[in-house]
Amino acid sequence: VEFGRDWFTGRLSYTRSNYESRDHASGSLEALFDGSTRAKQEFLGLALNGDWDDWQLRSEFGTAKRMKALGYNAKYFLLTLSRQFGAFTVTGGASGYRENSDYPLASYSPVRLSASLLALRYDVHKGGALKLQFDRVRDTSVQTYTGKATVSTLAYDVVF
């Protein structure tokens, strides 16, 4: 369901499906976390966006219920706020993703991520922009190779 008025747009989405996994070599169904070979999964999402004058707000919030199928449920969000100054746009944002599981850590290790971003975009022409972006990601999951990362990206985006 999508709704909007003037500078505001919102979207509510719900997806429900059955999940099954097959062994690539044999084609046989594999057991899922709950022991069955087929389980339901559900996704619920809400996006609230604003675009007024030189400001843009983008947000998304959601849940994934996949405990019986894949061993976890998750919650996530994304928020960005941008301001345009002529051909330049400055954007800041934050996001998070958290899983929880009813299963022991030996069976499933939940993922926990948070990130922040700062970006500067320059519109070179109507169909192209140069973007410099800095991301900081923090992984607080219990897996062995987790921690912090800083990523710098320089990209040229083209619309054709």
Side-chain angles (χ1 to χ4, degrees):
V1 175
E2 191 163 323
F3 47 92
R5 183 176 177 124
D6 195 25
W7 55 269
F8 174 77
T9 303
R11 182 180 68 251
L12 181 65
S13 62
Y14 175 75
T15 303
R16 182 175 163 182
S17 64
N18 290 316
Y19 179 87
E20 61 185 27
S21 179
R22 292 186 180 271
D23 179 72
H24 184 69
S26 69
S28 62
L29 287 170
E30 295 182 330
L32 302 176
F33 268 83
D34 69 349
S36 69
T37 57
R38 185 178 185 156
K40 290 180 181 165
Q41 57 183 359
E42 298 178 18
F43 304 90
L44 179 64
L46 174 66
L48 302 171
N49 302 317
D51 192 347
W52 62 103
D53 298 327
D54 295 331
W55 292 89
Q56 297 88 38
L57 172 69
R58 302 287 178 257
S59 70
E60 188 163 343
F61 308 90
T63 62
K65 293 183 179 181
R66 308 181 86 188
M67 188 66 70
K68 292 180 180 180
L70 294 172
Y72 71 89
N73 291 330
K75 293 182 180 182
Y76 55 90
F77 77 93
L78 168 71
L79 290 168
T80 63
L81 181 64
S82 301
R83 174 117 196 268
Q84 192 169 357
F85 301 93
F88 289 92
T89 304
V90 178
T91 302
S95 63
Y97 177 85
R98 303 273 185 277
E99 292 177 351
N100 63 59
S101 180
D102 293 341
Y103 297 94
L105 286 176
S107 300
Y108 188 85
S109 297
V111 175
R112 292 181 176 85
L113 300 169
S114 59
S116 57
L117 73 89
L118 182 61
L120 177 64
R121 175 186 163 124
Y122 174 69
D123 294 327
V124 178
H125 54 81
K126 187 177 180 177
L130 185 63
K131 185 168 79 170
L132 176 62
Q133 182 168 324
F134 300 98
D135 293 274
R136 297 191 93 166
V137 180
R138 184 167 183 230
D139 187 341
T140 57
S141 306
V142 296
Q143 290 91 342
T144 305
Y145 300 103
T146 61
K148 299 176 184 177
T150 301
V151 180
S152 303
T153 308
L154 180 62
Y156 185 72
D157 297 329
V158 178
V159 177
F160 52 93

